Amino acid sequence: MMGSNFYLGRIWGVPIKLSFSWFLIFTLITWSLASGYLPKTYPMLNPLTYWLLGAATAVAFAGSVLLHELGHVYLALRNGVPVRGVTLFLFGGVAELEKEPGSPAAEFRIAIAGPAVSLLLAASFAAIWILGRNVPLLAAPTEYLMRINFLLALFNLIPGFPLDGGRVLRAAVWKYTRSYYRATRIASSSGQLVSLAFFGVGIFMMIQGNFFNGLWLAFIGWFLQNAASNASMQANVQQALTGSLVQDVMRRNLEQVHSLISLDELVNDRVLPGRSEVFIVSDFGTPQGILTINEITAIPQRKWPFTTTRQAMLPIDRMLPITPEMDLLSALRKMESAHAAQAKVINQNEIVGLLSVEDAMRYIRRRTRLGI
Ligand SMILES: [Zn+2]
């Protein structure tokens, strides 16, 4: 993701990036202003002036979107929620929060800050527009910026997650039901309804002959639908993970296997009969490494008779250490950032179990199916 973004700098320590898709929108806005809106408002200027004025307006629009996102960032930081970064992209911007706000009130403040900034900008541009009516080349761009900031605020206030209005809705339901997960599910269901409406109206407009505007709306609908269903899935997973510890999921009583037996023997005697799929490879009782089906299949089958478990194993000292009391979500995050499919669970210098991403996934699936 980082690779497809253009890094602009840091504000309040938060990295600000520009998605390359944004350049497309910048060009589109500049082009539509320079070839339609501006010549209509100011006839008889030379084309270069239209293009420069169009580009300046598009830059001011980008600045407006950035200020909207900085509204979210400022309130997030003030409410103790770290921000990973801000990315300006196709539909505006995204401020990526490191964690969910701790309370409905904080969620509300962070969510409402963006639209509030946009409304403030719309009002400011309206003031400039009214005061500077007679200044050449100022009225048309400021009128445009006033409208677009107003639209930005309205669009974001639509009560469907992941739009700001959806977050406001989540904050309200969260406060009312006291359940963050229920609130997330309701807000993302409403987001899916909103996306469906966008999609439906878009298709209808396309059929009616308003092809490009319709396509645009349908595209926004599709984008929102994805984001909303991701949000509800994430809420389910997080709910399944809260309160779960590593020791609830880890494999215990791992079978020991001697370090000098061949993979062929191991597969035939112990893996195929289904006795176990995970082994601790040890030398005279001292654990040396872990061996799972993944390590076995990494070796070509014709080499199994000549490969020992020691040669195929994942050495213990190269594995990520975690503790049994660690909460499962943090453990999985730690494994994800280390690109580790499994981690050794250590208690007082002794291996007491093994946590694999696969086992954790199965555990999450069981809990979501049971609805607990
Ligand atoms: Zn926003």
Side-chain angles (χ1 to χ4, degrees):
M1 285 303 271
M2 285 293 275
S4 61
N5 293 326
F6 183 78
Y7 178 75
L8 289 179
R10 275 171 190 274
I11 298 178
W12 301 321
V14 174
I16 311 290
K17 290 164 285 179
L18 203 58
S19 152
F20 281 110
S21 68
W22 191 85
F23 288 98
L24 183 74
I25 288 300
F26 175 81
T27 314
L28 267 177
I29 291 177
T30 307
W31 171 74
S32 84
L33 286 169
S35 64
Y37 180 68
L38 292 172
K40 232 192 282 170
T41 332
Y42 305 125
M44 316 291 278
L45 292 178
N46 81 54
L48 184 67
T49 314
Y50 293 137
W51 281 96
L52 287 177
L53 202 56
T57 311
V59 168
F61 172 50
S64 302
V65 172
L66 179 61
L67 285 174
H68 172 113
E69 295 310 322
L70 288 177
H72 292 305
V73 170
Y74 183 71
L75 266 288
L77 295 177
R78 279 197 50 160
N79 284 277
V81 178
V83 182
R84 212 170 284 150
V86 168
T87 311
L88 303 183
F89 76 126
L90 216 55
F91 296 107
V94 159
E96 230 185 308
L97 305 186
E98 203 125 304
K99 59 176 190 182
E100 300 299 341
S103 70
E107 164 99 313
F108 175 77
R109 285 194 290 265
I110 297 169
I112 205 73
V117 168
S118 293
L119 283 178
L120 211 69
L121 284 168
S124 313
F125 283 118
I128 299 173
W129 176 47
I130 292 164
L131 296 173
R133 241 171 327 189
N134 301 319
V135 182
L137 303 188
L138 190 65
T142 46
E143 189 196 351
Y144 176 84
L145 290 165
M146 168 192 79
R147 279 177 206 276
I148 206 151
N149 272 296
F150 189 64
L151 278 179
L152 203 64
L154 282 192
F155 173 71
N156 275 292
L157 282 172
I158 294 172
F161 202 80
L163 295 171
D164 297 334
R167 292 179 188 276
V168 170
L169 175 69
R170 176 165 77 175
V173 180
W174 184 5
K175 192 177 164 68
Y176 185 70
T177 64
R178 298 203 182 152
S179 162
Y180 168 78
Y181 300 109
R182 237 168 108 190
T184 303
R185 270 196 287 274
I186 288 172
S188 43
S189 302
S190 140
Q192 278 168 340
L193 276 181
V194 167
S195 68
L196 217 69
F198 269 97
F199 201 77
V201 172
I203 298 288
F204 181 75
M205 280 169 74
M206 280 163 80
I207 295 168
Q208 293 284 305
N210 197 344
F211 191 79
F212 281 103
N213 285 333
L215 186 69
W216 189 234
L217 279 188
F219 189 50
I220 291 177
W222 172 80
F223 170 80
L224 288 178
Q225 149 66 28
N226 275 331
S229 72
N230 275 344
S232 83
M233 217 156 68
Q234 238 175 37
N236 283 339
V237 169
Q238 274 180 11
Q239 183 174 22
L241 286 174
T242 11
S244 304
L245 303 177
V246 167
Q247 59 192 7
D248 303 331
V249 186
M250 71 182 193
R251 269 172 202 253
R252 300 155 191 272
N253 310 324
L254 300 173
E255 270 197 50
Q256 303 240 345
V257 60
H258 196 271
S259 65
L260 291 178
I261 74 163
S262 71
L263 291 185
D264 216 27
E265 207 180 325
L266 180 76
V267 167
N268 287 323
D269 293 355
R270 299 173 74 172
V271 179
L272 278 182
R275 285 179 53 197
S276 183
E277 289 179 3
V278 184
F279 302 93
I280 286 201
V281 179
S282 52
D283 269 350
F284 307 108
T286 316
Q288 305 291 325
I290 296 275
L291 192 67
T292 68
I293 297 232
N294 289 338
E295 280 73 47
I296 298 174
T297 49
I299 310 269
Q301 200 184 333
R302 62 188 158 79
K303 292 191 178 165
W304 286 359
F306 324 107
T307 309
T308 62
T309 53
R310 175 189 267 283
Q311 289 167 314
M313 73 184 186
L314 186 64
I316 286 260
D317 47 4
R318 292 222 322 255
M319 289 179 75
L320 185 75
I322 54 177
T323 59
E325 301 83 27
M326 199 169 181
D327 75 280
L328 190 54
L329 194 61
S330 326
L332 287 174
R333 285 206 176 121
K334 208 171 155 188
M335 287 163 73
E336 191 190 2
S337 53
H339 301 290
Q342 51 223 350
K344 55 182 174 187
V345 185
I346 303 279
N347 192 18
Q348 293 172 337
N349 285 327
E350 213 176 298
I351 298 191
V352 292
L354 185 76
L355 181 71
S356 70
V357 174
E358 235 177 293
D359 287 344
M361 291 303 158
R362 264 189 231 123
Y363 173 79
I364 292 164
R365 262 203 299 277
R366 276 198 298 273
R367 285 197 68 155
T368 41
R369 283 181 65 188
L370 291 166
I372 52 173

